[in-house]
Structures are given as C-alpha cells and as structure tokens.
Amino acid sequence: MFKEIIQPRFNETDALGHINNTVLTMWFEGARDPIFKLFTPDLDTKQWRLILASISVQFKAELFYGRPVELRTGISKVGNSSFEVLQQAWQNGQCCAEGTAVLVHYDFIAKQKKLLSAEQKAALSQHLLSAS
C-alpha cells in the first residue's frame, strides 16, 4: 500500500473533540495522488483521465487532533474501465476508518468511460491488495 503520514489540523476537529467525519473523504482524496499519477504523471488537470463514481467510508474508531495519522492506499479490484481503491486511516496502531473509491477511466471530451489499457491494468495490478 502507498503510505502517507499526516498531522491533523486543529480546524479538522469538531465540537465532540475528535476529527470531524467529513474530513476523511478529503484526506483519502489527497492520498490517492499516487494512483492519479499512474494516469496523469504531472497531475495536469487539462489531461485528467479519471472520474469518481462512488465513495464510502466506514468509521471504526475516533481520530484525534495532535496525533499523526497514517493513510494507506491500495487497489482492491481492477475491472475493464474502472477500479476500486481501498484506503485506511491509522492512528496509534489502530485502523480508525476504511474507505473505498471507485474510479473510472474517462474521456471528458466524449463524455464516456474508456477501457483500461493493458499497461494501465498492469500498473494498477502492481498495487493490488491480496484477498487476505
């Protein structure tokens, strides 16, 4: 899995004293940059090739300000024109949240999905998580 350590910001904390649940989708999107670079190495949005089809987050434990969070990102499934990204947020040795995002290889001019090339599938498969 790709791994990134972040420091939660004070403004990401809610009135209950933990990281607000809306923050996880932003953290996870930022941690998908290595996946985005497989399709657009320079992250030039004029050459963007992916569109988000769905996201979900399951909360398992609270996350807190003042403690680092490790974001882990991998590929859980590769299809013909889409793939699924599995992401986790870890704090103090515990998986506190897990999310999935379905990304579609997309032609923004034609406004339609495109098949993943053999090269793209191979690049994604290098980060494919085992079933265990």
Side-chain angles (χ1 to χ4, degrees):
M1 295 184 99
F2 294 102
K3 295 180 180 181
E4 176 183 347
I5 304 292
I6 61 168
Q7 295 295 328
R9 298 176 299 184
F10 180 77
N11 69 325
E12 295 169 329
T13 305
D14 64 20
L16 298 175
H18 51 74
I19 301 301
N20 188 285
N21 58 11
T22 63
V23 171
L24 272 294
T25 57
M26 291 185 299
W27 285 358
F28 284 163
E29 181 181 44
R32 287 196 292 273
D33 276 357
I35 305 299
F36 297 155
K37 287 180 179 179
L38 297 175
F39 291 83
T40 310
D42 62 0
L43 299 177
D44 179 1
T45 57
K46 291 180 177 71
Q47 302 299 318
W48 209 252
R49 296 180 178 101
L50 296 172
I51 194 166
L52 181 66
S54 70
I55 55 173
S56 67
V57 178
Q58 295 77 42
F59 300 98
K60 300 171 180 253
E62 296 171 317
L63 290 156
F64 295 95
Y65 172 71
R67 302 175 201 163
V69 174
E70 181 178 74
L71 301 176
R72 300 179 185 179
T73 301
I75 305 299
S76 53
K77 181 180 177 186
V78 179
N80 292 320
S81 59
S82 66
F83 57 96
E84 185 176 271
V85 180
L86 176 70
Q87 297 183 277
Q88 298 172 333
W90 288 73
Q91 191 175 59
N92 297 326
Q94 179 180 12
C95 181
C96 298
E98 186 168 272
T100 57
V102 175
L103 297 174
V104 178
H105 188 219
Y106 193 75
D107 181 332
F108 283 89
I109 294 170
K111 303 282 188 205
Q112 63 186 22
K113 65 183 178 180
K114 291 177 59 173
L115 293 176
L116 292 165
S117 70
E119 294 81 14
Q120 290 166 330
K121 285 184 177 186
L124 291 167
S125 293
Q126 289 180 12
H127 307 286
L128 196 59
L129 303 170
S130 67
S132 59

